[in-house]
Amino acid sequence: MAAKPSVATTGERPAAGRVLAPPGRRLAEVIENRASGGYRIFSALDRSGPEPRAGQFYMLAAADSWGAGAGRPYLPRAFSVAEARPDEGGVRLEFLVDDVGPGTARLAALGGGEGLWITGPLGRPFSFPRQLAPEAAGAILVGGGVGLAPLAIWRRELAEQGVPVRTLLGFRDREHSGGIDLFACCEVRLASEDGHAGHRGYVTDLLGVLLEGSDATSAAVYACGPPAMLEAVRAMTIDRGIAAELAMETPMACGFGACMGCAVPLAGGGYTRLCVDGPVVRADRIETAVVEGSGHR
Amino acid sequence: MSDPDLSLNLCGIRLSHPILNGSGTFDAIAARRAFGEAIHERFPFSAFVSKTITPAPRAGNPPPRLFETPAGMINSIGLPNKGLNGFLAEDLPRLVELPVPLIVSVMGTSAEEFRLLVEGVAEREGVAGIELNVSCPNVKSGLIVGEEPSETLALTRALRPLTAKPLIVKLTPNVAAPAEVAQAAEQGGADGVSLVNTLKASALDPATLDPWLGAGRGGLSGPAIRPIALAQVAEVAEAVAIPVIGMGGIESGPDALAFLAAGANAVAVGSANFRDPMAGERIRRELADELRRRGLERLADLQYQGLSPGASSSST
C-alpha cells in the first residue's frame, strides 16, 4: 500500500497543502509506455511514495542509459504528474512526454520493466477556486500541447470535489498533439493552429469567448502550456480581474530549492524559485510567463 | 568487520564523516519544505555549508541560469541571497536547528565588506566556521582576490584577528598555480582551504549563437571537471599543511576515496546533490565500503598517496 501522505500546512490551507516527498530519489518501475497522438504517455509504479496533489511534479531519470554516449542527459528532468492512482503495490504515476531533446528522448523510449529514478512529489499544487477568489465556484482549464498533463489530474480532483469544470485544449498541429485520451472521460473543447481538430486558431481564442460572459468571475482559470500561451492567459485574466493559476516550466537542475536555476521574475521585482514556490503560481504574482531558456532539453 | 570509523577533526570541527556539501548546492531550508523533518533525521552531510551571503541582498542573475553539458552543467546563478541582516534574522535560526555543524559562506567586494560579514557571522552561536568565497573582484584593485596570492594573503591576514573560529578559503580553479594561492591563504592564517570552485565556462544558443546564459557566462561543475579538480586538490595538498576540502564532480564512494587519497582531508558533494538529494548519504556508505574492502578500520588509516608516480606504495 502507498504510504499515507504527509501534508505541510504551514502558511497554506490544508486542502491546498503540498504533499511532501520522501527524502532522496527512489527507483520506480515502468509499467507501460503508449503512444498518444504525437506524444508518449508512460506509467511507473512508485512502491513507497505518497499520492501527489495535482500540479506537483517529479524529477525523473532513467535508471539505465541516462547520460551514456554523448554524456547527456546528466541532470534529471522535471515532469508534472498527469495522473496518479493507488494501484496494487503502490501508486501508479503517469507522465506525458514530447521527445524534444536527449532527456525527453530517453524517457519517451522507456520500456515496461525498466527502472525509473524518481524524486517527488515536489512543489506547490493547484489551489481550489474558492481559495483563489470567494466568488469563484467553477474552474476553466486551459491546456496547450504537452502542457495539458497536469490539468488531467487536476480535472479529476476538481470533479471529485464537485467543482464544475470547463476544459479547453489547444495544439499546434497533428504531430504536436496527444494526451487527449487523458481526458477521455469528459467533454473538452479543442483548438488547433492547423485546423486539424476543433477551432482553427489558439486555445486562448476559446478562453476569450468564455471570459466575455457577465459571469466570468464565477470561475477561476488554470493554465499550463507553452510560455506564449501562458503569457496570453496571464494578461487576459489580469485585465478582467479573474483569478488564475499557471503551471509553469523552466530549466531545473534539482527540483528541491538547491540549484537556484529555476528563477521566475516576480511582479514586484526579484525572482522566485519555481521548484519550491511553484510550479503552480498565481498569475498576478509573476512579471511574465515568458522566461528565457525553457527550450534546452 | 564493523563499520569503519569515518570521523575526523576538520579545522577544529568534529565531524562524524568526511562528506560535506559544496556551498550553493544544497539549501537545507528549502529541502525541509520539500521533504519535511525526514531530511533532518537523515541529513546527508557531516557539516552544512551555507550558500554564500553578501552584505546586501542580491536578486541573482537573469535567467537562463543553467546549461546542461556532457557529464555536467554550467551555472550562472549570481549568488542570490537575503544579505547579512536577512540571513541572520531569517535563515540562521533555522540553520542552527540542523543536526550537524554549520559553516557559513561569505563574499565581499572589499576587505571592509568581508570584515562586516565575518564579524556579523562569527559571534553567532551555532556557527562552527566560516568559508571565504574569494572568487570575486576586489572593487579597489579590480583583481579577483582568489586569483592573486597577494590579495588572498592580505585578505586572510585582515580577517584572521576577527575570530577564533575556523576560516576556510574557497579556492578558484581558474588560475595557473592554485597552490600558490593556497599557500598565501595559509600564510595569512587560514585554517583550511576548499577547492575547486567552478571552472569558467560558456555556452551559445545553438540557433542564434548568442550567449545562452542570462549573465553571458558561468561556471562548469559535475563529473566533467573531476580529473581537473583531483589534480588541483593533490597539488594544493602537497603545498600546504592546513586541511584541504576537495570537491569537483564527486558522485560516488570511489570518487571520494580518490580525493582523500590525493590529499584531501574531507570532500564536498555538489552537482550530484541535484541528481539525488541523498547523494551524500550514499557516497558516505560507499566510502565506508571502500575502506572496509581495503581492511581499513578508520578513515585516519588511509594514507595520503598524492599523485606523483611511486610517491607511496599502496595504502593497504
Side-chain angles (χ1 to χ4, degrees):
Chain A
M1 277 300 293
K4 190 169 184 290
S6 51
V7 174
T9 51
T10 315
E12 290 176 90
R13 293 175 223 208
R18 69 186 70 205
V19 173
L20 300 182
R25 68 179 187 180
R26 59 193 182 275
L27 204 55
E29 183 191 342
V30 176
I31 45 182
E32 190 188 15
N33 182 340
R34 65 183 197 269
S36 178
Y39 305 146
R40 309 287 306 182
I41 297 172
F42 61 93
S43 311
L45 186 68
D46 175 14
R47 293 188 189 280
S48 56
E51 217 179 304
R53 286 281 326 279
Q56 291 194 287
F57 69 99
Y58 290 77
M59 299 302 288
L60 306 179
D64 295 317
S65 302
W66 191 260
R72 287 187 63 212
Y74 168 66
L75 299 165
R77 298 295 193 258
F79 273 82
S80 291
V81 66
E83 186 50 284
R85 302 307 295 248
D87 202 347
E88 202 174 323
V91 177
R92 180 189 174 115
L93 305 171
E94 294 201 331
F95 301 97
L96 182 66
V97 59
D98 184 16
D99 171 3
V100 294
T104 48
R106 179 68 187 93
L107 294 171
L110 283 169
E114 275 203 70
L116 180 70
W117 288 114
I118 66 171
T119 304
L122 296 165
R124 182 183 176 276
F126 288 112
S127 314
F128 285 98
R130 292 227 188 268
Q131 295 174 307
L132 297 179
E135 70 275 23
I140 300 172
L141 311 188
V142 185
V146 75
L148 60 80
L151 301 178
I153 178 172
W154 183 223
R155 193 216 58 78
R156 175 176 61 77
E157 277 191 21
L158 287 165
E160 284 169 1
Q161 298 295 316
V163 177
V165 182
R166 286 168 287 179
T167 305
L168 316 174
L169 303 178
F171 299 97
R172 197 194 311 168
D173 51 37
R174 196 178 294 277
E175 196 188 332
H176 296 90
S177 72
I180 299 181
D181 36 335
L182 292 166
F183 294 85
C185 57
C186 38
E187 187 190 337
V188 297
R189 280 173 243 187
L190 297 179
S192 56
E193 290 171 50
D194 67 347
H196 81 273
H199 164 74
R200 179 188 291 271
Y202 293 119
V203 68
T204 45
D205 301 340
L206 303 179
L207 177 64
V209 172
L210 288 189
L211 297 187
E212 287 309 310
S214 58
D215 62 342
T217 57
S218 68
V221 173
Y222 303 90
C224 186
M229 185 208 95
L230 288 182
E231 180 56 18
V233 172
R234 191 186 72 84
M236 290 167 79
T237 52
I238 288 177
D239 281 352
R240 293 168 173 80
I242 295 167
E245 280 186 332
L246 312 176
M248 293 181 64
E249 180 186 47
T250 65
M252 207 177 264
C254 71
F256 63 99
C259 76
M260 305 271 176
C262 57
V264 169
L266 287 169
Y271 298 98
T272 192
R273 279 174 288 184
L274 197 67
C275 68
V276 284
D277 296 321
V280 176
V281 295
R282 283 192 63 130
D284 55 7
R285 264 198 86 211
I286 58 168
E287 185 184 78
T288 174
V290 180
V291 181
E292 293 296 321
S294 53
H296 186 69
R297 306 308 301 268
Chain B
M1 187 176 156
S2 62
D3 272 358
D5 174 8
L6 296 181
S7 68
L8 70 154
N9 182 320
L10 184 73
C11 310
I13 310 170
R14 290 295 309 171
L15 302 180
S16 59
H17 62 83
I19 316 290
L20 289 72
N21 67 294
S23 174
T25 67
F26 195 94
D27 181 333
I29 295 170
R32 203 174 180 182
R33 287 178 66 193
F35 306 115
E37 294 311 308
I39 201 74
H40 279 206
E41 288 155 20
R42 280 175 58 193
F43 201 69
F45 313 109
S46 63
F48 178 68
V49 184
S50 79
K51 62 189 173 192
T52 295
I53 310 307
T54 54
R58 287 168 63 109
N61 290 335
R65 292 174 169 187
L66 300 174
F67 187 89
E68 186 183 73
T69 66
M73 56 182 281
I74 305 174
N75 83 76
S76 73
I77 305 300
L79 302 179
N81 77 96
K82 296 174 178 172
L84 176 61
N85 292 337
F87 172 79
L88 293 176
E90 295 169 35
D91 290 357
L92 186 61
R94 292 147 90 183
L95 293 177
V96 299
E97 292 173 5
L98 288 171
V100 298
L102 172 67
I103 296 169
V104 178
S105 168
V106 299
M107 185 194 90
T109 57
S110 64
E112 291 69 37
E113 283 196 8
F114 266 109
R115 184 171 294 131
L116 183 77
L117 290 160
V118 170
E119 284 180 338
V121 168
E123 65 184 21
R124 296 302 177 112
E125 212 172 316
V127 174
I130 298 167
E131 183 172 83
L132 307 173
N133 179 346
V134 293
S135 300
C136 56
N138 178 332
V139 285
K140 296 223 171 95
S141 66
L143 300 169
I144 303 227
V145 175
E147 294 183 1
E148 303 288 334
S150 60
E151 293 270 344
T152 302
L153 174 63
L155 182 68
T156 43
R157 204 167 253 170
L159 301 179
R160 178 69 281 172
L162 302 180
T163 179
K165 288 184 180 172
L167 291 176
I168 297 163
V169 177
K170 175 87 171 258
L171 301 175
T172 169
N174 302 310
V175 290
E180 289 177 15
V181 183
Q183 285 171 327
E186 182 177 40
Q187 203 186 331
D191 299 278
V193 290
S194 53
L195 74 157
V196 295
N197 208 326
T198 56
L199 276 81
K200 262 186 214 172
S202 294
L204 300 185
D205 182 324
T208 65
L209 302 184
D210 290 329
W212 177 268
L213 297 163
R217 64 181 180 184
L220 181 66
S221 65
I225 72 165
R226 191 191 305 139
I228 300 169
L230 185 67
Q232 295 206 0
V233 165
E235 192 181 325
V236 165
E238 190 86 46
V240 299
I242 53 177
V244 174
I245 304 168
M247 71 194 87
I250 293 176
E251 299 245 324
S252 70
D255 295 343
L257 183 70
F259 278 76
L260 294 166
N265 300 74
V267 296
V269 175
S271 302
N273 298 320
F274 301 154
R275 284 153 51 93
D276 179 2
M278 296 303 285
E281 184 188 73
R282 174 180 54 78
I283 293 168
R284 190 223 340 120
R285 212 167 46 235
E286 291 173 356
L287 175 64
D289 291 344
E290 290 293 326
L291 294 179
R292 192 181 300 112
R293 268 189 342 106
R294 287 170 164 74
L296 300 174
E297 290 176 13
R298 289 178 298 272
L299 177 68
D301 294 339
L302 180 70
Q303 284 181 16
Y304 160 66
Q305 309 207 134
L307 291 186
S308 305
S312 153
S313 58
S314 158
S315 65
T316 52

